[in-house]
Amino acid sequence: MIKYDQYLSTLSQISADTSHKDKDGNPVVMTSSTAQAIEFDTFLEDYLKAIYAKAAKTNSVDAFCLLDGKYCLIEFKNGEIDKEQVRNKITSSVSSIVFKDNISPEYFRDNSMFILVYNKNSSGGLSPEAYEHHNEYVYLLKPKEINSSVSKDIILNHISNKSGQPIVRFKLKMFKNLFFSQVMTMDKEIFEEYIKNKTITIPEN
């Protein structure tokens, strides 16, 4: 039987973009996190072949883990983003997890999140002003901080939209309340800070 713990890797390794190199000739990574997660692309390929040897390769998200106890699927995108491809990756990944682990779709939806991590410098040529309107700094605040007057000042120093609500980019908001209770898109620098104080574990086999 294919087990999750056979496919462990660090988020840094999973996020590596082998098609782009840094100044030292190494693959560009989207995070330096050494937290372990499931390298889901390889897992899903092997899982489907174990069921049907001639199964065609299926698109999947990059990483799967539990983040603060919630199912969490993560997709790393360093360059241009194909929205349809990402949607297909989400659909095939969620259906595989629900089927393998015998989870009801409702339970998964209510206890899961999806994060797309992108590089604002290479995913559409965002201007600094356009990026600030996405309100992603809110992800770094604790719930009680968002309601405090001090934190409101912090938010307004970073973003210009006074609603303070992060924008879900790449037409992925449709998956909130469909497959996940929370859908987030964030630049890699925000993601780096976001996961620092999160507890990342592996789902049971």
Side-chain angles (χ1 to χ4, degrees):
M1 177 183 291
I2 302 294
K3 296 184 177 181
Y4 289 135
D5 59 14
Q6 296 172 299
Y7 298 86
L8 295 182
S9 187
T10 66
L11 284 174
S12 178
Q13 292 170 324
I14 294 172
S15 76
D17 178 5
T18 56
S19 63
H20 293 84
K21 307 291 183 181
D22 62 20
K23 61 182 180 179
D24 298 317
N26 300 312
V28 173
V29 296
M30 299 287 282
T31 176
S32 62
S33 175
T34 58
Q36 287 196 315
I38 299 157
E39 199 280 284
F40 202 71
D41 190 47
T42 304
F43 163 81
L44 185 55
E45 183 176 2
D46 290 351
Y47 174 66
L48 294 177
K49 285 183 178 178
I51 297 173
Y52 178 59
K54 296 182 179 180
K57 182 175 174 57
T58 301
N59 286 332
S60 67
V61 299
D62 293 318
F64 177 44
C65 62
L66 295 179
L67 194 151
D68 286 349
K70 280 192 169 186
Y71 298 110
C72 180
L73 278 66
I74 306 171
E75 176 70 8
F76 296 100
K77 285 293 185 184
N78 183 46
E80 292 293 333
I81 295 172
D82 183 328
K83 301 179 185 66
E84 183 176 355
Q85 181 191 60
V86 174
R87 290 195 292 268
N88 289 338
K89 287 185 174 188
I90 291 172
T91 302
S92 61
S93 299
V94 170
S95 59
S96 298
I97 293 168
V98 168
F99 181 80
K100 176 191 176 296
D101 295 337
N102 194 27
I103 307 169
S104 75
E106 294 77 14
Y107 181 84
F108 183 87
R109 178 194 62 211
D110 295 341
N111 296 278
S112 66
M113 64 177 70
F114 172 76
I115 305 174
L116 186 143
V117 183
Y118 67 94
N119 184 346
K120 68 181 179 183
N121 296 318
S122 65
S123 60
L126 295 174
S127 66
E129 294 79 14
Y131 173 69
E132 287 174 356
H133 282 281
H134 296 152
N135 302 350
E136 293 174 11
Y137 290 97
V138 175
Y139 290 135
L140 306 182
L141 302 178
K142 297 177 181 179
K144 63 180 181 180
E145 292 178 327
I146 295 175
N147 295 323
S148 71
S149 59
V150 173
S151 294
K152 287 179 181 177
D153 291 338
I154 293 173
I155 293 171
L156 293 176
N157 282 335
H158 288 293
I159 56 182
S160 58
N161 185 338
K162 294 183 180 181
S163 70
Q165 295 300 312
I167 294 173
V168 179
R169 300 190 69 211
F170 315 114
K171 298 184 178 180
L172 296 176
K173 190 174 182 179
M174 61 177 285
F175 289 106
K176 183 177 181 180
N177 299 324
L178 177 63
F179 288 163
F180 310 100
S181 61
Q182 189 173 15
V183 175
M184 296 177 281
T185 57
M186 62 181 77
D187 177 65
K188 63 187 185 68
E189 293 179 4
I190 299 292
F191 180 74
E192 191 81 345
E193 293 298 318
Y194 176 76
I195 61 172
K196 276 185 178 178
N197 298 315
K198 301 293 184 181
T199 299
I200 299 176
T201 53
I202 305 302
E204 293 182 3
N205 283 314

